[in-house]
Amino acid sequence: MIDEKKLIEELEKIFETDEQNIDCTLSDFAYHVFDCIKAQPKFGEWIPCSERLPDDRDNRFYMCTVENHEEDPPMFCQYEEEYGFGFWNDIYDEHTLGFVDSEFKTNEELGYEKVIAWQPLPEPYRTEKESE
């Protein structure tokens, strides 16, 4: 399954560009569409880390498969472009309980195996009213 909203956004960009280019044939446009579809992230499919890593957008969680545990349920990890897969940990002052800082620890630093494949989590459920 692909990200329908992202695909539509990409196709609209192509259409706007091609609308200005009168010489664009239907065949050219079709090839643009096919390329766009192929580039879409596939939901429900594992992405090997050797092929591609997540975009470091907002440190959200990803489902991950780790070495030597391919048959086990996936673990949830965050991704930081500079460090790799791991987790952000908030640090609080023990006396005031106020937030002090955050630190990122990789899976390896925490004693977990290396992530070999990942996939994005699905979007949270929203009612039709919330979607509009």
Side-chain angles (χ1 to χ4, degrees):
M1 181 176 3
I2 59 176
D3 185 340
E4 175 188 347
K5 290 178 183 172
K6 187 170 182 175
L7 177 60
I8 289 170
E9 285 174 14
E10 292 298 318
L11 292 175
E12 284 173 343
K13 285 181 199 172
I14 292 170
F15 185 72
E16 288 170 5
T17 303
D18 288 344
E19 212 172 40
Q20 297 167 4
N21 181 6
I22 306 296
D23 296 333
C24 180
T25 66
L26 183 58
S27 176
D28 292 337
F29 185 74
Y31 282 114
H32 286 301
V33 171
F34 292 139
D35 289 341
C36 189
I37 291 171
K38 288 178 189 174
Q40 284 292 300
K42 311 300 186 275
F43 290 108
E45 292 183 15
W46 290 99
I47 302 166
C49 292
S50 58
E51 279 183 25
R52 181 169 64 92
L53 293 170
D55 296 331
D56 184 20
R57 289 179 267 160
D58 58 2
N59 301 315
R60 67 183 190 157
F61 283 87
Y62 298 91
M63 282 195 306
C64 299
T65 297
V66 295
E67 268 182 339
N68 304 317
H69 296 277
E70 289 87 347
E71 291 83 28
D72 293 344
M75 68 184 297
F76 295 89
C77 302
Q78 291 175 293
Y79 179 76
E80 174 65 40
E81 188 172 27
E82 187 175 338
Y83 304 109
F85 288 97
F87 299 91
W88 279 102
N89 180 37
D90 292 337
I91 302 168
Y92 294 92
D93 181 292
E94 62 186 53
H95 300 292
T96 65
L97 300 178
F99 174 78
V100 177
D101 200 0
S102 290
E103 67 179 349
F104 188 84
K105 291 198 175 189
T106 65
N107 279 14
E108 289 80 10
E109 291 173 323
L110 294 168
Y112 297 118
E113 304 275 349
K114 178 182 173 186
V115 173
I116 57 172
W118 61 277
Q119 64 176 265
L121 297 178
E123 292 297 320
Y125 171 75
R126 299 199 194 300
T127 62
E128 286 185 32
K129 269 187 175 177
E130 290 176 310
S131 302
E132 294 172 0

